[in-house]
Amino acid sequence: MEIFTATDYAGMSRQAARLVSAQLLLKPDCVLGLATGSTPLGLYSRLIEEYKNGDLDFTEVRTVNLDEYKGLAPGNPQSYGYYMRENLFRHINIKPENTFIPNGLATDAAGECARYDALLDSLGIDLQILGLGENGHIGFNEPGEVFMPSTHLVGLTKSTLAANARYFASLDDVPVYAYTMGIGSILRAKRILLIASGPKKAAALRAALYGPVTPALPASALQLHGYVTVIADAEAMA
Ligand code: F6R
């Protein structure tokens, strides 16, 4: 595992963008695994900037997102589909048909999980970008008793609902179920980039990197992967 400390959020975003850019330059038709949330926003802004400067080309890139709320249409401003369009896709030259995200409106949850797993198997992720939950979750793999191998539907924990409530009118509006890639799907990515920022992530980051590997702290599974890069700002690394 390679671990880099950046001075602040902007530095973390800059370093992370360098790594993603290098991936795109080395393999223009790469498959990127993407995360939502506040942490990757700075990274996405920098990728947009580099695209606008003519330094990056997304024509051949395909993307797969980690997760999506169950019950939200892609046009819903709180959905992760909407987040991706607004914060990255509509600003770059990626083909919409090359971007994949679980279908929050699927009526057959098991079928949707199987469809997404088949897609992940056929694409193969070159670089998976991950944020980190305060409780150590990655994607929406919440602390539990087992590492889930594949895409599944999860009930979100109180702490995650509370953390996500900032994007909704009230806590009651936060969807309580989400589709997420499993820990197994994440570990099948060839390379993983974990980014973390701020003091609220410090305890989870320490446990993930230096604690026991346990489903009680899902990010600790990253210790089992051979090619993980962690870029965190000084507050998260504290
Ligand atoms: C979102 C996701 C989540 C977030 C995590 C951190 O797609 O997979 O695991 O990465 O909840 O969220 P932020 O970055 O908002 O602190």
Side-chain angles (χ1 to χ4, degrees), residues 14-233:
R14 203 165 47 240
Q15 285 191 37
R18 268 196 219 122
L19 196 146
V20 177
S21 306
Q23 171 69 64
L24 258 72
L25 295 175
L26 288 170
K27 190 176 177 195
D29 62 346
C30 66
V31 176
L32 295 179
L34 299 179
T36 59
S38 50
T39 314
L41 287 173
L43 159 63
Y44 295 155
S45 297
R46 292 204 67 97
L47 294 178
I48 292 166
E49 220 173 282
E50 287 183 43
Y51 163 71
K52 289 189 172 158
N53 289 341
D55 294 329
L56 283 183
D57 177 20
F58 290 84
T59 322
E60 302 301 324
V61 174
R62 283 154 303 158
T63 64
V64 272
N65 266 80
L66 281 166
D67 40 21
E68 177 60 287
Y69 287 117
K70 181 166 170 41
L72 296 193
N76 185 313
Q78 314 298 350
S79 73
Y80 288 168
Y82 186 93
Y83 168 108
M84 288 312 310
R85 268 197 313 285
E86 286 305 306
N87 293 302
L88 183 62
F89 297 156
R90 76 181 182 86
H91 305 284
I92 58 177
N93 65 339
I94 196 160
K95 296 175 184 150
E97 64 271 26
N98 283 349
T99 65
F100 303 97
I101 189 158
N103 175 9
L105 291 185
T107 45
D108 168 13
E112 176 57 13
C113 293
R115 180 193 73 83
Y116 210 65
D117 278 338
L119 176 75
L120 294 174
D121 282 348
S122 71
L123 289 175
I125 299 172
D126 291 295
L127 174 65
Q128 175 65 55
I129 297 162
L130 294 176
L132 179 66
E134 289 169 35
N135 62 2
H137 72 221
I138 45 176
F140 270 134
N141 290 275
E142 298 283 18
E145 287 170 11
V146 288
F147 287 122
M148 295 297 281
S150 51
T151 304
H152 57 286
L153 193 62
V154 279
L156 305 182
T157 62
K158 270 191 183 161
S159 110
T160 301
L161 291 174
N164 290 356
R166 64 191 192 272
Y167 299 113
F168 293 82
S170 80
L171 186 60
D172 289 341
D173 292 328
V174 187
V176 289
Y177 289 100
Y179 291 101
T180 182
M181 279 189 206
I183 293 291
S185 333
I186 293 171
L187 292 183
R188 278 191 289 281
K190 290 187 193 128
R191 183 174 192 174
I192 294 174
L193 167 62
L194 176 71
I195 51 177
S197 165
K200 287 185 180 166
K201 302 296 173 71
L205 187 59
R206 182 161 81 163
L209 302 185
Y210 305 112
V213 175
T214 165
L217 201 297
S220 65
L222 298 177
Q223 294 178 38
L224 303 174
H225 194 280
Y227 202 1
V228 177
T229 304
V230 179
I231 304 178
D233 66 13

